[in-house]
Amino acid sequence: PISAEVQAQLEPFNRAVGQAPNIWYVLLLLALLPAVCEELAFRGFILSGFRRLGHKWAAIIMSSIFFGVAHPILQQSLVMCVIGIGIAYVAVQTRSLLPGILFHVVHNSLVIFDGTVTGGMLDKYHFLARLYSGAGDEYFFDTPIVVAGAVLTVAVLLWFRRLPYQPTAEEQLQQALDHQSAHATTR
């Protein structure tokens, strides 16, 4: 759980998001813009830079650690490190930032809604009422939505796993060196 101190610090932000005249502006500013910028930075530059060292999984893990550390709240940092591994894996498998950006936008949007949903918002934006349950100040995603999201996430990751992996030139060189070292030690 988030500490009372952090909750107090987040309260003005949550109140401002809840009082925004249009939720689409909030999603543009707090879901789309950070997703594009963070994916360009962490998967576009940092991941691709680490991949030049020749180790795919080391690059994925190290870029994900940097991604997690960039988020200031401990709980958020830990979650972002794990999510970063998934996004980095998808970026490597697809050789594209677009799937990661899409995932990141959806994730950011759900986090924004999760922390700011009120009864008034459910009345104003009917699509949210299909996702949430609760009353008063306590709203949460319906269990079928959470289960469907988890199943969909696993299915998409498994689908991306089936894509052919194309190593970088540095990864090919490292694989050749590893193979040569393994062959030399067996002689």
Side-chain angles (χ1 to χ4, degrees):
I2 295 176
S3 69
E5 182 180 317
V6 172
Q7 282 282 65
Q9 291 173 351
L10 289 175
E11 187 54 38
F13 171 79
N14 289 339
R15 195 170 40 254
V17 170
Q19 294 172 353
N22 191 324
I23 193 69
W24 302 111
Y25 297 138
V26 172
L27 291 177
L28 178 67
L29 183 64
L30 299 175
L32 179 63
L33 187 61
V36 171
C37 293
E38 289 178 359
E39 289 309 309
L40 285 173
F42 291 100
R43 262 57 76 181
F45 295 113
I46 295 173
L47 174 65
S48 63
F50 279 135
R51 284 191 73 197
R52 297 206 183 282
L53 298 175
H55 299 281
K56 173 179 97 169
W57 280 104
I60 288 171
I61 299 297
M62 289 188 306
S63 69
S64 299
I65 289 170
F66 276 92
F67 183 58
V69 169
H71 293 82
I73 300 170
L74 178 61
Q75 293 91 331
Q76 185 184 29
S77 183
L78 296 173
V79 169
M80 290 301 105
C81 187
V82 173
I83 287 175
I85 292 170
I87 296 174
Y89 176 74
V90 169
V92 167
Q93 286 298 105
T94 63
R95 298 177 307 278
S96 173
L97 297 178
L98 187 58
I101 290 171
L102 293 174
F103 176 88
H104 206 140
V105 168
V106 170
H107 178 268
N108 288 353
S109 299
L110 293 173
V111 169
I112 289 166
F113 287 142
D114 194 40
T116 60
V117 166
T118 63
M121 285 179 72
L122 294 180
D123 292 338
K124 187 174 180 181
Y125 302 104
H126 298 289
F127 70 94
L128 290 177
R130 293 186 178 99
L131 303 175
Y132 287 91
S133 295
D137 290 340
E138 294 291 323
Y139 289 92
F140 47 88
F141 287 111
D142 284 331
T143 302
I145 297 297
V146 173
V147 170
V151 168
L152 183 61
T153 299
V154 169
V156 167
L157 285 173
L158 289 174
W159 183 74
F160 282 131
R161 183 175 177 226
R162 295 180 61 198
L163 295 176
Y165 170 64
Q166 296 209 324
T168 63
E170 293 84 2
E171 290 168 341
Q172 290 174 346
L173 178 59
Q174 187 62 48
Q175 289 171 355
L177 290 171
D178 292 345
H179 178 73
Q180 185 179 23
S181 294
H183 184 69
T185 58
T186 59
R187 285 184 167 187

